[in-house]
Amino acid sequence: MAVLLLLWLAALLASSSASAPGFDYFVLALQWPGTVCRSSAAGGPCCSSNACCRSDRIGWFTIHGLWPSYAHGNGPTCCNNPDFDMAKISNLTMEFQKYWPSLYCSTPSLCSGGHGSLWAHEWEKHGTCSYPVIQDEYSYFSTTLHLYSSYNVTAMLASKFSIGADDGSRYLVADLVATVRSSFGASPLLLCEGGSLQELRLCFDKDLKVLCEVHQPAFL
């Protein structure tokens, strides 16, 4: 009986490992609140969960998410053990509020079919598919925050262009890309809305080393 049980467990683990989706690289997606808040404010009123409504304006790129992605675009979603538990990352709350806030009033979808916080959405949809590079919820969020601070796009662009929260100046896309590349050794993908930068994305390999090129846009 013991031998049969061990064989069954081995088969189960092998099957689980074989069915786990792989991915090619990570995409770190950063949002520029000035652009996002203009578009989201037009779509509805302010609310307590929307960081765009704060009295102190956000003058830095905020995190959208860290996404396991395929080289041809998109990536795996809603993988094993998707349930989000805020208690596991409660000591990161202050960093979340500053660097990873929601810029919308609407609540994003969860893998279970319901709706929840931005953090729950990012973990359940993307973080659960980061295995084996990232193996649990806390590691997903702490890794993302580490990459965000290690590749501080806001500080870098501020030092080069003096970009601030209320900056209404215009910059050539080629200049922004060249500046990021010279500073970080990688070309970013820029997404714009109405002629304004809305999102900047950097790619990292599975060793969390920045990649030189972005091949395809990843999903939102």
Side-chain angles (χ1 to χ4, degrees), residues 73-216:
N74 293 327
T77 60
C78 297
C79 300
N80 298 330
N81 303 316
D83 293 341
F84 172 77
D85 184 357
M86 187 66 197
K88 294 180 179 179
I89 52 174
S90 58
N91 65 322
L92 299 176
T93 300
M94 292 186 64
E95 290 178 274
F96 281 0
Q97 294 293 346
K98 184 173 183 178
Y99 302 119
W100 202 335
S102 172
L103 302 179
Y104 301 90
C105 287
S106 59
T107 52
S109 61
L110 302 179
C111 291
S112 61
H115 291 79
S117 67
L118 169 64
W119 310 317
H121 170 82
E122 293 300 321
W123 162 247
E124 292 191 7
K125 184 175 181 180
H126 304 291
T128 58
C129 300
S130 302
Y131 187 87
V133 179
I134 298 172
Q135 301 194 10
D136 56 48
E137 181 181 320
Y138 188 87
S139 295
Y140 173 72
F141 288 105
S142 60
T143 297
T144 305
L145 288 167
H146 174 72
L147 289 175
Y148 173 81
S149 62
S150 298
Y151 295 86
N152 192 327
V153 174
T154 307
M156 183 274 295
L157 290 179
S159 68
K160 302 292 185 181
F161 295 105
S162 299
I163 294 175
D166 299 311
D167 185 15
S169 303
R170 291 185 174 273
Y171 304 89
L172 293 175
V173 169
D175 290 344
L176 291 177
V177 171
T179 300
V180 173
R181 185 179 181 89
S182 65
S183 298
F184 298 149
S187 295
L189 173 68
L190 305 182
L191 303 183
C192 297
E193 173 68 29
S196 298
L197 178 64
Q198 178 170 311
E199 196 155 295
L200 183 150
R201 297 174 179 177
L202 291 171
C203 287
F204 297 84
D205 64 22
K206 292 182 180 180
D207 292 323
L208 301 178
K209 304 297 183 183
V210 69
L211 291 175
C212 293
E213 301 296 338
V214 174
H215 302 290
Q216 293 289 336

Side-chain angles (χ1 to χ4, degrees), residues 18-40:
S19 63
F23 62 95
D24 298 308
Y25 57 82
F26 288 102
V27 172
L28 176 65
L30 307 177
Q31 301 178 111
W32 182 246
T35 303
V36 177
C37 290
R38 283 198 300 271
S39 60
S40 63

